[in-house]
């Protein structure tokens, strides 16, 4: 009913090829953006901006980056957090060492630096596949973390190895309130998400998916293996790098290399597995599930059982419930939350007689 | 004349009575002081978190039950699970900072990473953070970090005390000349933090130091200890963390290095660090800014008032009461309560204080030996005097040795060498001020006397 398309005629190829061919989707997207840009700043408070929305958006971006590589191009990677670290530390050094560097330029450069490192560690993907590639990308994770701790130059010889992100200044205005940081993060994430959506619809994206589905066949029809795989690594790392820089600048304010350890890589991988491989929406749903659900459980547990149950029991119980929910969702829909939404949408289009 | 004086005396008495009555009535308003707890009870560091926050909460609970709060102000608290993760820590901070009648009074994250993430936030929100024995070392300069308090002892101070202790063992600091010390450190920011101090000390006292890194988490140290065996050091400094500690002790035994020549940092000096190593830990020495044990009146009071009569305290496993992490939590409790008490003297007894008022209380803490005895913590806590310039306050360290069953204190309070540490802290803090564009506090600032900010540091801050 809601999704009935009757009466929506496409009279040109342009109309047929737009991002959201259904009018309701376009409307929904516009509403979501309007909500995020206009309503949230009015009703939100500092807690929501700094503790919930900013980390959610940043990790969505990281998940999006990994989804391009793993979900679309089929290259399993465990180096996500490493590439995020490259982004964060590169942005720090560009701003620190280049006088009058605008931070947005530094962010782009940081993304490019991460892309370069990504290409380097993507080289083994030409020879190895699947789980073996995952192990090879682990090298990136460990090497980057080690290098950042080992060489003091990266942290400007800070005795504890922790960097303090400089204040972000845009056109002479310091972005230091939670609301400003939220709007900045939201803008960067929306632009990059739109870019990713378009990229995956065009030739590059189709080449990625061809390689994912069957690389021999892809090669036979003329898709250059080397170029495409490395491009996937580069784009993915670029996204992760920007996410890392945002993590340091818009979220924590300080970053140590340990903030980007293997656990973070796994966390992002779980996001795309739960959210949905090869889906832009899935990256956001997965990030919400992995980052926000534990907090929600914690808040609910405190509200319901606070005082009555020991904290240690409560904390462990949260982990148990969280683990249980992961298993439940994977059992119900192995293709992730995005697929659940897709099915729901299909049913709504055929409503009241879905089959 | 005589009558007159008698009269005035009576008036005086009446006045005293009135004041006393008023004083007695204030607490009935049931003022509360809310203390947020960024605790962690799951994950790899749960033993530390549950012990520390157990001790902290039990002490506050005891103050409520024994004294009816601080001058009648009831202490309240709420925990939030951080899992020792920075992002969760920030979320918990944001969640708890606005609770209670006056907001979260003072934060104690027990995590260096979370402390770093809170420095700017807490400063902007005007909420004090106490990072006792961890966190950012150069925050000891309160002129640059008004809201951050690495109380008692920081890593650099501890390290100088450690070298002093080794010197004492060798029979004098001059005997250190030509000696060899291996610094076995955890491959993290935390592990690397003392390298520059050690290098300076090596130059000063003429000993040789070799830094050997153990990659995180440190459960494999065969090659490092073989290197140590080849190097033949007189002492090994163990700057370990978590699983790295028992592994180091076991591997040392394997390569035949005596445990009583290994001196650990306080994060390698808990029961949890040595018991897994079994026999290999016997004789191992570690630094401590407080001893273990239950023989302190304050711990006895906790047992009596909190656990007595079949009541439930915060510790599930009561055998851990009196162990390192528990006692550290009790010390945290003492410092927090004393800070509130000090602040109440200035801002009004029996009132809920704002975080900013409590900040003043921390900055003006002065716990001398007499007060420590009153608190029932003699031998547990060192004398502490905090000021605007010095947010560390103490700086002394005790050393303890594991005898196979418990930690035995083997030294008195060994003061740190501030002539080495202080200039490093001031310079590092000044560089932070420059990076962040912070104006150092001078003269009377936030109710404390900060004195003049030295010229050579001003140059660093202004980028000269």
């Amino acid at each position: 009913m809601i999704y009935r398309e009757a009466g929506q005629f496409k009279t040109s190829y342009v109309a047929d090829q737009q991002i959201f061919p259904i009018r309701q989707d376009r409307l929904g997207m516009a509403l979501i953006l309007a909500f995020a840009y206009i309503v949230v700043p009015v009703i939100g408070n500092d807690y929501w901006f700094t503790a919930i929305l900013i980390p959610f958006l940043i990790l969505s971006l990281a998940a999006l980056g990994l989804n391009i590589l793993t979900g679309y191009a089929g290259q399993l990677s465990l180096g996500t957090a490493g590439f995020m670290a490259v982004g964060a530390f590169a942005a720090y050094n560009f701003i620190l060492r280049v006088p009058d560097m605008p931070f947005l330029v530094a962010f782009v450069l940081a993304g490019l630096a991460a892309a370069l490192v990504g290409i380097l560690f993507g080289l083994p993907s030409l020879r190895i596949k699947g789980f073996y590639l995952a192990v090879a990308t682990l090298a990136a994770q460990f090497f980057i973390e080690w290098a950042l701790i080992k060489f003091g130059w990266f942290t400007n010889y800070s005795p504890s190895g922790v960097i303090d992100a400089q204040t972000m200044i845009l056109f002479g205005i310091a972005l230091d309130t939670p609301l400003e940081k939220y709007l900045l993060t939201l803008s960067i994430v929306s632009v990059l998400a739109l870019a990713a959506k378009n990229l995956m619809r065009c030739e590059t994206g189709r080449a990625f998916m061809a390689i994912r589905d069957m690389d021999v066949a892809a090669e036979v029809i003329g898709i250059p293996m080397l170029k495409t795989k490395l491009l996937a690594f580069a784009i993915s790392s670029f996204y992760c790098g920007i996410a890392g820089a945002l993590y340091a600048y818009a979220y924590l304010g300080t970053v140590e290399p340990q903030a980007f350890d293997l656990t973070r890589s796994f966390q992002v991988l779980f996001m795309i597995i739960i959210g949905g491989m090869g889906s832009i929406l899935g990256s956001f749903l997965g990030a919400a599930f992995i980052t926000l659900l534990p907090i929600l459980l914690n808040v609910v547990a405190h509200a319901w059982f606070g005082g009555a149950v020991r904290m240690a029991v409560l904390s462990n119980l949260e982990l148990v419930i969280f683990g249980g929910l992961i298993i439940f969702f994977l059992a119900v829909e192995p293709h992730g939350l995005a697929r659940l939404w897709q099915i729901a949408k299909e049913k709504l289009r055929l409503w009241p007689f879905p089959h | 004349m005589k009558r007159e004086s008698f009269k005035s005396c009576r008036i005086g008495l009446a006045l005293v009575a009135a004041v006393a009555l008023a004083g007695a009535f204030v607490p009935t308003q049931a003022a509360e002081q809310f203390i947020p707890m960024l605790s962690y009870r799951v994950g790899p560091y749960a033993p530390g978190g549950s012990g520390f926050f157990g001790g902290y909460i039990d002490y506050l609970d005891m103050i409520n039950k024994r004294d009816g709060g601080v001058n009648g102000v009831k202490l309240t608290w709420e925990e939030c699970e951080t899992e020792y993760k920075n992002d969760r820590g920030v979320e918990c901070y944001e969640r708890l900072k606005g609770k209670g009648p006056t907001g979260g009074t003072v934060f104690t994250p027990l995590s260096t990473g979370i402390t770093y993430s809170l420095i700017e936030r807490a400063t902007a929100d005007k909420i004090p953070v106490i990072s006792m024995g961890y966190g950012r070392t150069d925050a000891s300069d309160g002129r640059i970090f008004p809201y951050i308090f690495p109380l008692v002892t920081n890593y650099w101070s501890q390290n100088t005390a450690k070298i002093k202790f080794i010197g004492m063992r060798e029979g004098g600091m001059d005997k250190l000349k030509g000696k060899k010390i291996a610094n076995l450190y955890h491959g993290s920011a935390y592990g690397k933090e003392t390298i520059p101090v050690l290098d300076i000390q090596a130059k000063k006292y003429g000993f040789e130091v070799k830094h050997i890194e153990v990659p995180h988490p440190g459960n494999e140290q065969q090659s490092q200890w073989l290197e140590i065996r080849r190097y033949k050091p007189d002492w090994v400094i163990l700057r370990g963390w978590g699983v790295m500690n028992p592994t180091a002790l076991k591997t040392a035994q394997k390569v035949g290095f005596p445990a009583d020549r290994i001196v650990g940092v306080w994060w390698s000096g808990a029961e949890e660090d040595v018991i897994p190593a079994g026999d290999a830990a016997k004789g191992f020495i570690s630094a401590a800014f407080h001893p273990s044990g239950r023989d302190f009146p304050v711990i006895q009071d906790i047992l009596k008032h909190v656990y007595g009569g079949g009541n439930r305290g915060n510790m599930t496993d009561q055998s851990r009461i009196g162990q390192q992490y528990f006692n550290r939590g009790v010390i945290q409790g003492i410092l927090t309560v004393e800070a509130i008490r000090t602040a109440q003297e200035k801002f009004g007894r029996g009132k809920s204080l704002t975080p900013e008022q409590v900040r003043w209380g921390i900055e003006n803490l002065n716990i001398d030996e007499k007060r420590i005895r009153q608190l029932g913590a003699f031998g547990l806590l060192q004398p502490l005097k905090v000021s605007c310039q010095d947010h560390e306050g103490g700086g002394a360290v005790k050393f303890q040795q594991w005898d196979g069953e418990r930690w035995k204190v083997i030294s008195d309070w060994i003061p740190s060498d501030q002539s080495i540490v202080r200039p490093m802290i001031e310079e590092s803090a000044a560089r932070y001020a420059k990076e962040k564009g912070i104006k150092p506090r001078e003269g009377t600032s936030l109710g404390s006397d900060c004195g003049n900010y030295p010229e050579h540091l001003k140059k660093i801050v202004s980028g000269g």
Side-chain angles (χ1 to χ4, degrees), chain A residues 47 50 149 159-160 162 164-165 247 251 256 258 264 295 298 302 310-311 315-316, chain B residues 42 79 81 87 91 94-95 113 116 121 136 188-189 192-193 313-314 432 436:
Chain A
Y47 171 73
T50 52
I149 293 174
S160 52
V162 184
D164 283 288
Y247 199 79
Y251 180 36
E256 49 183 340
Q258 279 88 9
R264 175 86 51 218
I295 296 174
N298 190 269
H302 270 275
R310 276 184 182 280
M311 263 305 288
S315 294
N316 280 302
Chain B
V42 291
E79 284 189 64
E81 174 70 45
D87 40 347
E91 192 271 324
E94 295 289 344
R95 198 197 302 178
Y116 268 87
R121 281 165 210 272
R136 194 176 170 118
S188 65
K192 286 181 63 175
E193 196 160 346
N314 198 274
Y432 176 85
K436 290 279 166 186

CSV table of all heavy atoms in Angstrom, one decimal, chain A residues 47 50 149 159-160 162 164-165 247 251 256 258 264 295 298 302 310-311 315-316, chain B residues 42 79 81 87 91 94-95 113 116 121 136 188-189 192-193 313-314 432 436:
chain,number,residue,atom,x,y,z
A,47,TYR,N,24.5,15.1,24.9
A,47,TYR,CA,24.7,13.6,25.1
A,47,TYR,C,24.4,12.9,23.8
A,47,TYR,O,25.2,12.0,23.4
A,47,TYR,CB,23.8,13.1,26.2
A,47,TYR,CG,23.8,11.6,26.3
A,47,TYR,CD1,24.9,10.9,26.8
A,47,TYR,CD2,22.7,10.9,25.8
A,47,TYR,CE1,24.9,9.5,26.9
A,47,TYR,CE2,22.7,9.5,25.9
A,47,TYR,CZ,23.8,8.8,26.4
A,47,TYR,OH,23.8,7.5,26.5
A,50,THR,N,27.3,13.8,21.1
A,50,THR,CA,28.7,13.3,21.3
A,50,THR,C,28.8,11.8,21.6
A,50,THR,O,29.8,11.2,21.3
A,50,THR,CB,29.4,14.1,22.5
A,50,THR,OG1,28.5,14.0,23.6
A,50,THR,CG2,29.7,15.5,22.1
A,149,ILE,N,53.4,3.2,17.0
A,149,ILE,CA,54.0,3.2,18.4
A,149,ILE,C,55.5,3.3,18.3
A,149,ILE,O,56.1,4.0,19.1
A,149,ILE,CB,53.5,1.9,19.1
A,149,ILE,CG1,52.0,1.9,19.4
A,149,ILE,CG2,54.3,1.8,20.5
A,149,ILE,CD1,51.5,0.7,20.0
A,159,PRO,N,55.2,11.8,24.8
A,159,PRO,CA,55.8,10.7,25.6
A,159,PRO,C,54.9,9.5,25.8
A,159,PRO,O,55.4,8.4,25.9
A,159,PRO,CB,56.0,11.4,27.0
A,159,PRO,CG,55.2,12.6,26.9
A,159,PRO,CD,55.1,13.0,25.5
A,160,SER,N,53.6,9.7,25.7
A,160,SER,CA,52.7,8.6,25.9
A,160,SER,C,52.2,8.1,24.6
A,160,SER,O,51.4,7.1,24.5
A,160,SER,CB,51.6,9.0,26.8
A,160,SER,OG,51.0,10.2,26.2
A,162,VAL,N,50.1,9.4,22.5
A,162,VAL,CA,48.7,9.8,22.3
A,162,VAL,C,48.7,11.2,21.6
A,162,VAL,O,49.4,12.1,22.0
A,162,VAL,CB,47.9,9.9,23.6
A,162,VAL,CG1,46.5,10.2,23.3
A,162,VAL,CG2,48.0,8.6,24.3
A,164,ASP,N,46.8,14.7,20.4
A,164,ASP,CA,45.7,15.5,20.7
A,164,ASP,C,45.2,16.2,19.4
A,164,ASP,O,46.0,17.0,18.9
A,164,ASP,CB,46.1,16.6,21.7
A,164,ASP,CG,46.2,16.0,23.1
A,164,ASP,OD1,45.1,15.7,23.7
A,164,ASP,OD2,47.3,15.8,23.6
A,165,ALA,N,44.0,15.9,19.0
A,165,ALA,CA,43.6,16.5,17.7
A,165,ALA,C,43.5,18.0,17.9
A,165,ALA,O,43.0,18.5,18.9
A,165,ALA,CB,42.2,15.9,17.4
A,247,TYR,N,37.1,10.1,13.6
A,247,TYR,CA,37.1,9.5,14.9
A,247,TYR,C,38.0,10.3,15.9
A,247,TYR,O,37.6,10.5,17.1
A,247,TYR,CB,37.6,8.1,14.8
A,247,TYR,CG,37.2,7.2,16.0
A,247,TYR,CD1,35.9,6.6,16.0
A,247,TYR,CD2,38.1,6.9,16.9
A,247,TYR,CE1,35.6,5.8,17.1
A,247,TYR,CE2,37.8,6.0,18.0
A,247,TYR,CZ,36.5,5.5,18.1
A,247,TYR,OH,36.1,4.7,19.1
A,251,TYR,N,35.2,13.1,17.2
A,251,TYR,CA,34.6,12.3,18.3
A,251,TYR,C,35.5,12.4,19.6
A,251,TYR,O,35.2,13.1,20.5
A,251,TYR,CB,34.5,10.8,17.8
A,251,TYR,CG,33.9,9.9,18.9
A,251,TYR,CD1,32.9,10.4,19.8
A,251,TYR,CD2,34.3,8.6,19.0
A,251,TYR,CE1,32.4,9.6,20.7
A,251,TYR,CE2,33.7,7.7,19.9
A,251,TYR,CZ,32.8,8.2,20.8
A,251,TYR,OH,32.3,7.4,21.8
A,256,GLU,N,45.0,7.3,20.6
A,256,GLU,CA,46.3,6.6,20.7
A,256,GLU,C,46.2,5.4,19.7
A,256,GLU,O,45.0,5.0,19.3
A,256,GLU,CB,46.4,6.0,22.1
A,256,GLU,CG,45.1,5.4,22.6
A,256,GLU,CD,45.2,4.9,24.0
A,256,GLU,OE1,46.3,4.7,24.5
A,256,GLU,OE2,44.2,4.7,24.7
A,258,GLN,N,46.3,2.4,20.0
A,258,GLN,CA,45.5,1.3,20.5
A,258,GLN,C,44.0,1.5,20.3
A,258,GLN,O,43.2,0.5,20.4
A,258,GLN,CB,45.7,1.1,22.0
A,258,GLN,CG,46.9,0.3,22.4
A,258,GLN,CD,48.1,1.2,22.5
A,258,GLN,OE1,48.0,2.4,22.5
A,258,GLN,NE2,49.3,0.7,22.6
A,264,ARG,N,38.7,-3.4,16.9
A,264,ARG,CA,38.0,-2.4,16.1
A,264,ARG,C,37.8,-3.0,14.7
A,264,ARG,O,36.7,-2.9,14.1
A,264,ARG,CB,38.8,-1.1,16.0
A,264,ARG,CG,38.2,0.0,15.2
A,264,ARG,CD,37.1,0.8,15.8
A,264,ARG,NE,37.5,1.4,17.1
A,264,ARG,CZ,36.7,1.5,18.1
A,264,ARG,NH1,35.5,1.1,18.1
A,264,ARG,NH2,37.2,2.0,19.3
A,295,ILE,N,24.7,0.1,24.2
A,295,ILE,CA,24.4,1.2,25.0
A,295,ILE,C,22.9,1.2,25.5
A,295,ILE,O,22.6,1.4,26.6
A,295,ILE,CB,24.7,2.5,24.3
A,295,ILE,CG1,26.2,2.6,24.0
A,295,ILE,CG2,24.2,3.8,25.1
A,295,ILE,CD1,26.6,3.8,23.2
A,298,ASN,N,22.5,-1.3,28.1
A,298,ASN,CA,23.0,-0.8,29.4
A,298,ASN,C,22.0,0.2,30.0
A,298,ASN,O,21.8,0.1,31.2
A,298,ASN,CB,24.3,-0.1,29.1
A,298,ASN,CG,25.1,0.3,30.3
A,298,ASN,OD1,24.9,1.3,30.9
A,298,ASN,ND2,25.9,-0.7,30.8
A,302,HIS,N,20.0,-0.6,33.5
A,302,HIS,CA,20.0,0.3,34.6
A,302,HIS,C,18.7,0.7,35.1
A,302,HIS,O,18.4,0.8,36.3
A,302,HIS,CB,20.9,1.5,34.3
A,302,HIS,CG,22.3,1.3,34.6
A,302,HIS,ND1,22.9,1.4,35.9
A,302,HIS,CD2,23.3,0.8,33.8
A,302,HIS,CE1,24.1,1.1,35.8
A,302,HIS,NE2,24.5,0.8,34.6
A,310,ARG,N,23.5,-7.1,41.0
A,310,ARG,CA,24.9,-6.6,41.0
A,310,ARG,C,25.4,-6.1,39.7
A,310,ARG,O,25.0,-6.7,38.7
A,310,ARG,CB,25.8,-7.8,41.5
A,310,ARG,CG,25.8,-8.0,42.9
A,310,ARG,CD,26.8,-9.1,43.3
A,310,ARG,NE,26.8,-9.2,44.7
A,310,ARG,CZ,27.4,-8.5,45.6
A,310,ARG,NH1,28.2,-7.5,45.1
A,310,ARG,NH2,27.4,-8.7,46.9
A,311,MET,N,26.2,-5.1,39.7
A,311,MET,CA,26.7,-4.5,38.5
A,311,MET,C,27.4,-5.5,37.6
A,311,MET,O,27.3,-5.6,36.4
A,311,MET,CB,27.7,-3.3,38.8
A,311,MET,CG,27.0,-2.0,38.7
A,311,MET,SD,26.2,-1.7,37.1
A,311,MET,CE,27.6,-1.5,36.1
A,315,SER,N,26.5,-6.4,33.9
A,315,SER,CA,27.4,-6.1,32.7
A,315,SER,C,27.5,-7.4,31.9
A,315,SER,O,27.5,-7.4,30.7
A,315,SER,CB,28.7,-5.7,33.2
A,315,SER,OG,28.6,-4.4,33.8
A,316,ASN,N,27.7,-8.5,32.6
A,316,ASN,CA,27.8,-9.8,31.9
A,316,ASN,C,26.5,-10.2,31.2
A,316,ASN,O,26.6,-10.7,30.0
A,316,ASN,CB,28.2,-10.9,32.8
A,316,ASN,CG,29.7,-10.8,33.1
A,316,ASN,OD1,30.5,-10.9,32.2
A,316,ASN,ND2,30.0,-10.7,34.4
B,42,VAL,N,33.5,-6.3,33.0
B,42,VAL,CA,33.7,-7.4,32.1
B,42,VAL,C,34.9,-7.2,31.3
B,42,VAL,O,35.5,-6.1,31.3
B,42,VAL,CB,32.5,-7.6,31.2
B,42,VAL,CG1,31.3,-8.0,31.9
B,42,VAL,CG2,32.2,-6.3,30.4
B,79,GLU,N,26.9,3.5,38.6
B,79,GLU,CA,28.0,2.9,37.7
B,79,GLU,C,27.5,2.9,36.3
B,79,GLU,O,26.4,2.8,36.0
B,79,GLU,CB,28.2,1.5,38.2
B,79,GLU,CG,29.0,1.3,39.5
B,79,GLU,CD,29.4,-0.1,39.7
B,79,GLU,OE1,30.2,-0.6,38.9
B,79,GLU,OE2,29.0,-0.7,40.7
B,81,GLU,N,29.1,0.9,32.7
B,81,GLU,CA,30.1,-0.1,32.3
B,81,GLU,C,30.9,0.5,31.1
B,81,GLU,O,30.3,0.8,30.0
B,81,GLU,CB,29.4,-1.4,31.9
B,81,GLU,CG,30.2,-2.4,31.2
B,81,GLU,CD,31.2,-3.0,32.2
B,81,GLU,OE1,30.8,-3.4,33.3
B,81,GLU,OE2,32.4,-3.2,31.8
B,87,ASP,N,35.5,4.6,23.7
B,87,ASP,CA,34.3,5.1,23.2
B,87,ASP,C,33.2,4.9,24.2
B,87,ASP,O,32.3,5.8,24.4
B,87,ASP,CB,33.9,4.5,21.8
B,87,ASP,CG,34.3,3.0,21.7
B,87,ASP,OD1,35.0,2.6,22.6
B,87,ASP,OD2,33.8,2.4,20.8
B,91,GLU,N,30.9,7.8,26.3
B,91,GLU,CA,29.4,7.7,26.3
B,91,GLU,C,29.0,7.7,27.8
B,91,GLU,O,28.0,8.5,28.2
B,91,GLU,CB,28.9,6.4,25.7
B,91,GLU,CG,27.4,6.3,25.4
B,91,GLU,CD,26.7,5.7,26.6
B,91,GLU,OE1,27.2,4.8,27.3
B,91,GLU,OE2,25.6,6.2,26.8
B,94,GLU,N,29.3,11.2,29.3
B,94,GLU,CA,28.2,12.1,28.8
B,94,GLU,C,26.9,11.8,29.5
B,94,GLU,O,26.1,12.6,29.8
B,94,GLU,CB,28.1,12.1,27.3
B,94,GLU,CG,29.3,12.6,26.5
B,94,GLU,CD,29.4,14.1,26.6
B,94,GLU,OE1,28.5,14.8,27.0
B,94,GLU,OE2,30.5,14.6,26.3
B,95,ARG,N,26.8,10.5,29.8
B,95,ARG,CA,25.5,10.0,30.4
B,95,ARG,C,25.4,10.5,31.8
B,95,ARG,O,24.4,10.9,32.3
B,95,ARG,CB,25.4,8.5,30.3
B,95,ARG,CG,23.9,8.0,30.5
B,95,ARG,CD,23.8,6.6,30.8
B,95,ARG,NE,24.4,5.7,29.8
B,95,ARG,CZ,24.5,4.4,29.9
B,95,ARG,NH1,24.0,3.8,31.0
B,95,ARG,NH2,25.0,3.7,29.0
B,113,GLY,N,43.5,5.6,28.7
B,113,GLY,CA,42.9,6.0,27.4
B,113,GLY,C,41.7,6.9,27.6
B,113,GLY,O,41.5,7.9,27.0
B,116,TYR,N,42.6,10.4,28.8
B,116,TYR,CA,43.0,11.3,27.7
B,116,TYR,C,41.8,11.8,27.0
B,116,TYR,O,41.7,13.0,26.6
B,116,TYR,CB,43.9,10.5,26.7
B,116,TYR,CG,45.3,10.6,27.1
B,116,TYR,CD1,46.0,9.8,27.9
B,116,TYR,CD2,46.1,11.6,26.5
B,116,TYR,CE1,47.3,9.9,28.2
B,116,TYR,CE2,47.5,11.7,26.7
B,116,TYR,CZ,48.1,10.9,27.6
B,116,TYR,OH,49.4,11.0,27.9
B,121,ARG,N,37.0,17.4,27.3
B,121,ARG,CA,35.6,17.5,27.7
B,121,ARG,C,35.4,18.0,29.1
B,121,ARG,O,34.6,18.9,29.3
B,121,ARG,CB,35.0,16.1,27.6
B,121,ARG,CG,34.7,15.6,26.2
B,121,ARG,CD,34.5,14.1,26.2
B,121,ARG,NE,34.9,13.6,24.9
B,121,ARG,CZ,34.1,13.5,23.8
B,121,ARG,NH1,32.8,13.9,24.0
B,121,ARG,NH2,34.5,13.1,22.7
B,136,ARG,N,47.5,11.1,32.1
B,136,ARG,CA,48.5,11.9,31.5
B,136,ARG,C,49.5,12.5,32.5
B,136,ARG,O,49.1,13.2,33.4
B,136,ARG,CB,47.8,13.1,30.8
B,136,ARG,CG,48.7,13.8,29.8
B,136,ARG,CD,47.9,14.9,29.1
B,136,ARG,NE,49.0,15.6,28.4
B,136,ARG,CZ,49.1,15.7,27.1
B,136,ARG,NH1,48.2,15.2,26.3
B,136,ARG,NH2,50.1,16.4,26.5
B,188,SER,N,53.3,-0.4,24.2
B,188,SER,CA,52.1,0.5,24.0
B,188,SER,C,52.6,1.8,24.5
B,188,SER,O,53.7,2.0,25.0
B,188,SER,CB,51.0,0.0,24.9
B,188,SER,OG,51.4,0.1,26.3
B,189,ALA,N,51.7,2.8,24.3
B,189,ALA,CA,52.0,4.1,24.8
B,189,ALA,C,52.3,4.1,26.3
B,189,ALA,O,53.3,4.8,26.7
B,189,ALA,CB,50.8,5.0,24.5
B,192,LYS,N,55.9,2.8,26.9
B,192,LYS,CA,57.0,3.6,26.4
B,192,LYS,C,57.2,4.9,27.2
B,192,LYS,O,58.2,5.6,27.1
B,192,LYS,CB,56.7,4.1,25.0
B,192,LYS,CG,56.9,2.9,24.0
B,192,LYS,CD,56.7,3.4,22.6
B,192,LYS,CE,57.7,4.5,22.2
B,192,LYS,NZ,57.6,4.9,20.8
B,193,GLU,N,56.2,5.2,28.1
B,193,GLU,CA,56.2,6.5,28.7
B,193,GLU,C,57.4,6.8,29.6
B,193,GLU,O,57.8,8.0,29.7
B,193,GLU,CB,54.9,6.7,29.5
B,193,GLU,CG,54.6,8.1,29.9
B,193,GLU,CD,53.2,8.4,30.2
B,193,GLU,OE1,52.3,7.5,30.0
B,193,GLU,OE2,53.0,9.5,30.8
B,313,GLY,N,28.2,-6.1,50.7
B,313,GLY,CA,28.9,-5.0,50.2
B,313,GLY,C,29.0,-5.1,48.7
B,313,GLY,O,28.3,-5.9,48.0
B,314,ASN,N,29.9,-4.3,48.1
B,314,ASN,CA,30.1,-4.4,46.6
B,314,ASN,C,30.9,-5.6,46.1
B,314,ASN,O,30.7,-6.0,45.0
B,314,ASN,CB,30.7,-3.1,46.2
B,314,ASN,CG,30.4,-2.8,44.7
B,314,ASN,OD1,31.2,-3.3,43.9
B,314,ASN,ND2,29.4,-2.2,44.3
B,432,TYR,N,52.0,21.3,25.4
B,432,TYR,CA,50.6,21.0,25.2
B,432,TYR,C,49.8,22.3,25.1
B,432,TYR,O,49.0,22.5,24.3
B,432,TYR,CB,50.1,20.1,26.4
B,432,TYR,CG,48.6,19.8,26.3
B,432,TYR,CD1,48.1,18.8,25.6
B,432,TYR,CD2,47.7,20.6,27.1
B,432,TYR,CE1,46.8,18.5,25.5
B,432,TYR,CE2,46.4,20.3,27.0
B,432,TYR,CZ,45.9,19.3,26.3
B,432,TYR,OH,44.6,19.0,26.2
B,436,LYS,N,47.5,23.6,22.0
B,436,LYS,CA,46.1,23.8,22.2
B,436,LYS,C,45.7,25.3,22.4
B,436,LYS,O,44.5,25.6,22.6
B,436,LYS,CB,45.7,23.0,23.5
B,436,LYS,CG,45.7,21.6,23.3
B,436,LYS,CD,44.4,21.1,22.6
B,436,LYS,CE,44.6,19.7,22.1
B,436,LYS,NZ,43.5,19.3,21.3
